[in-house]
Amino acid sequence: MRRRLPDLPTLRDYLHLQKPTLDRRAARLAKAADLWDLRRIAKRRTPTGPFDYVDGAAEREISLGRARQVYDELAFRPQVLRDVGSVTPQTTVAGAASAMPLVIAPTGFTRMMHSEGETAGVRAAHAAGIPFTLSTMGTATIEEVAEAGPDGRRWFQLYLAGQDRGIAEDLVARAHAAGCDTLMVTVDTPVTGARHRDTRNGMTFPPQLTAKTFLDAAWRPEWWINFLTTEPLGFTNFGSGSQSIQAIGSLFDPTLAFRDLAWLREQWPGTLLIKGVQTPEDAERSVAAGADGVVLSNHGGRQLDRAPVPLLTLPEVRRRLGPEPTVLVDTGIMSGADVVAAVALGADAAMIGRAYLYGLMAGGGEGVARALEIFRSEMVRTMQLMGVARMAELTPEMVALDWRSA
């Protein structure tokens, strides 16, 4: 082997030293290659109680585990020799254009995860061209979210609580006045699921500074500084003040039935979606009762453990409802490839809760933007490798739910 002295111009081309930056948030987010990286960053930067509230599920967390396993075990059936030089994930969701088949799901206690909360979420969603859904249990008001995101699509999620419909009627009227185009009523919470991580952590809302939480937060000072120097947490859509997680069950209604959807249909002039549907039969009944579509959801595995996996229910639901009603799906979605699979099997779009909150905990609004950027790039790459240029070209035949049969 012959050796020589290094050629200085060539050596200079090899050297690409990274310039130091004072923007540590941007630097750590840039290193995230996928949503699992954002989850790891979020776990480092968020106290155990709030992180486990997001990351955990009901009882033994079987529902969540099965949902993720289904996505892991499916296989794509790609087409080759197709022109994929120009690919777009743009589609139509609930009657309007969307930059990609993705919707930010409603999440409660959001400012507990990061002080920027729902306002960061709605701004990132609208910058990415997708809808944002505010939860009844949100920590920003309907009006605050409307002010933060005046130009994009805003949806509102409703719990029909108690026999007195006055609260629900007020929330629905406020959502309509604030420009929300879609109302999503959650129907899988007659009672609160048993979330053992929260019980073991002594989780409260808002978090309490005990000896245990102080030690846990000692190396996460940014979270506590933000928590202590911003507005007190509370269920702001119900007025000032706060309420413990353990007391939320009093806001749910175990008597809620299909008959109540008729009342809600009369109150709401926009698109009405029923969230928490888990069987094809209930999907049909929901549309028959006046809904414009359904969200196939087991509440992220946070209610009934061993609940049906939404992705497995999806093909039969779409077959029974036909092409017109909106069908969304959630639970276990952690990549753009997961979204592509859901669309191929019949969903109009996927909803993300945990994945969005991992981004928020990792880096506030910039973290949410990074999460959505990752989703989009993964969708486009997956579409190209599958040989499709438009979402409408995806078909059920392109996905095998068992990789062994692909």
Side-chain angles (χ1 to χ4, degrees):
M1 184 171 61
R2 298 177 61 187
R3 297 185 184 274
R4 62 179 178 84
L5 291 174
D7 179 70
L8 292 181
T10 302
L11 182 61
R12 187 169 53 248
D13 290 340
Y14 289 156
L15 293 175
H16 292 282
L17 299 179
Q18 199 170 33
K19 293 181 180 179
T21 176
L22 297 177
D23 190 345
R24 303 311 306 158
R25 175 184 286 190
R28 67 173 177 267
L29 292 174
K31 295 178 181 178
D34 62 12
L35 268 295
W36 295 103
D37 285 345
L38 286 178
R39 178 185 177 276
R40 282 187 283 272
I41 297 170
K43 188 173 184 179
R44 289 199 307 267
R45 303 191 62 81
T46 311
T48 299
F51 179 83
D52 274 359
Y53 177 77
V54 172
D55 197 59
E59 300 182 25
R60 291 173 55 201
E61 305 187 0
I62 293 171
S63 291
L64 177 58
R66 286 177 179 171
R68 286 185 172 155
Q69 183 179 0
V70 165
Y71 283 104
D72 287 344
E73 293 194 347
L74 65 80
F76 292 117
R77 290 172 169 154
Q79 306 172 132
V80 297
L81 297 175
R82 291 348 188 247
D83 183 353
V84 289
S86 177
V87 170
T88 176
Q90 186 173 351
T91 188
T92 299
V93 179
S98 184
M100 52 183 163
L102 201 66
V103 178
I104 288 188
T107 60
F109 315 102
T110 310
R111 282 184 55 234
M112 183 173 66
M113 321 316 167
H114 192 284
S115 58
E116 295 178 22
E118 289 91 352
T119 56
V122 71
R123 287 169 181 154
H126 291 174
I130 66 171
F132 174 87
T133 314
L134 175 65
S135 170
T136 294
M137 302 300 178
T139 49
T141 66
I142 297 169
E143 293 76 16
E144 287 170 338
V145 170
E147 183 179 357
D151 299 322
R153 295 184 72 189
R154 282 169 283 106
W155 298 2
F156 183 68
Q157 176 271 334
L158 178 71
Y159 288 108
L160 279 176
Q163 297 301 307
D164 180 7
R165 296 299 186 222
I167 295 175
E169 190 171 359
D170 175 66
L171 289 171
V172 169
R174 285 171 57 196
H176 179 59
C180 296
D181 64 70
T182 297
L183 182 69
M184 182 181 297
V185 58
T186 296
V187 296
D188 60 354
T189 54
V191 296
T192 307
R195 299 163 193 174
H196 294 334
R197 284 205 219 183
D198 297 340
T199 301
R200 291 165 184 145
N201 288 329
M203 183 65 181
T204 61
F205 178 78
Q208 296 178 358
L209 191 57
T210 64
K212 180 180 179 181
T213 58
F214 178 81
L215 290 173
D216 182 56
W219 55 286
R220 299 177 176 102
E222 182 183 348
W223 187 94
W224 275 107
I225 290 170
N226 289 337
F227 172 69
L228 294 171
T229 59
T230 54
E231 287 295 317
L233 296 181
F235 299 138
T236 55
N237 282 306
F238 296 101
S240 60
S242 61
Q243 185 171 2
S244 71
I245 287 176
Q246 288 74 15
I248 291 176
S250 64
L251 298 175
F252 298 155
D253 185 0
T255 70
L256 188 66
F258 277 99
R259 61 179 178 271
D260 296 294
L261 296 185
W263 175 85
L264 192 59
R265 180 71 280 180
E266 292 176 358
Q267 304 297 314
W268 183 252
T271 299
L272 178 63
L273 302 178
I274 310 302
K275 180 177 182 290
V277 173
Q278 299 180 64
T279 66
E281 294 76 19
D282 279 349
E284 289 181 308
R285 292 190 67 185
S286 296
V287 172
D292 298 298
V294 297
V295 182
L296 300 179
S297 169
N298 61 29
H299 215 102
R302 298 167 65 81
Q303 284 294 103
L304 175 67
D305 210 9
R306 302 180 181 87
V309 174
L311 189 72
L312 296 181
T313 311
L314 172 61
E316 178 63 12
V317 168
R318 177 54 79 191
R319 187 188 70 79
R320 293 199 191 188
L321 295 186
E324 291 303 320
T326 297
V327 178
L328 307 181
V329 66
D330 72 9
T331 307
I333 294 162
M334 285 289 286
S335 75
D338 295 342
V339 178
V340 169
V343 173
L345 291 172
D348 293 287
M351 298 192 74
I352 53 168
R354 284 185 183 88
Y356 141 62
L357 293 177
Y358 291 146
L360 183 68
M361 290 186 288
E366 293 98 322
V368 181
R370 178 62 180 146
L372 298 180
E373 179 186 17
I374 290 171
F375 267 105
R376 181 183 176 83
S377 65
E378 290 175 337
M379 282 185 223
V380 169
R381 182 171 60 251
T382 302
M383 291 171 69
Q384 289 176 307
L385 293 173
M386 288 183 65
V388 298
R390 303 291 182 270
M391 284 288 170
E393 297 174 22
L394 293 166
T395 66
E397 292 74 28
M398 294 180 179
V399 177
L401 288 171
D402 185 345
W403 61 268
R404 301 166 188 83
S405 62

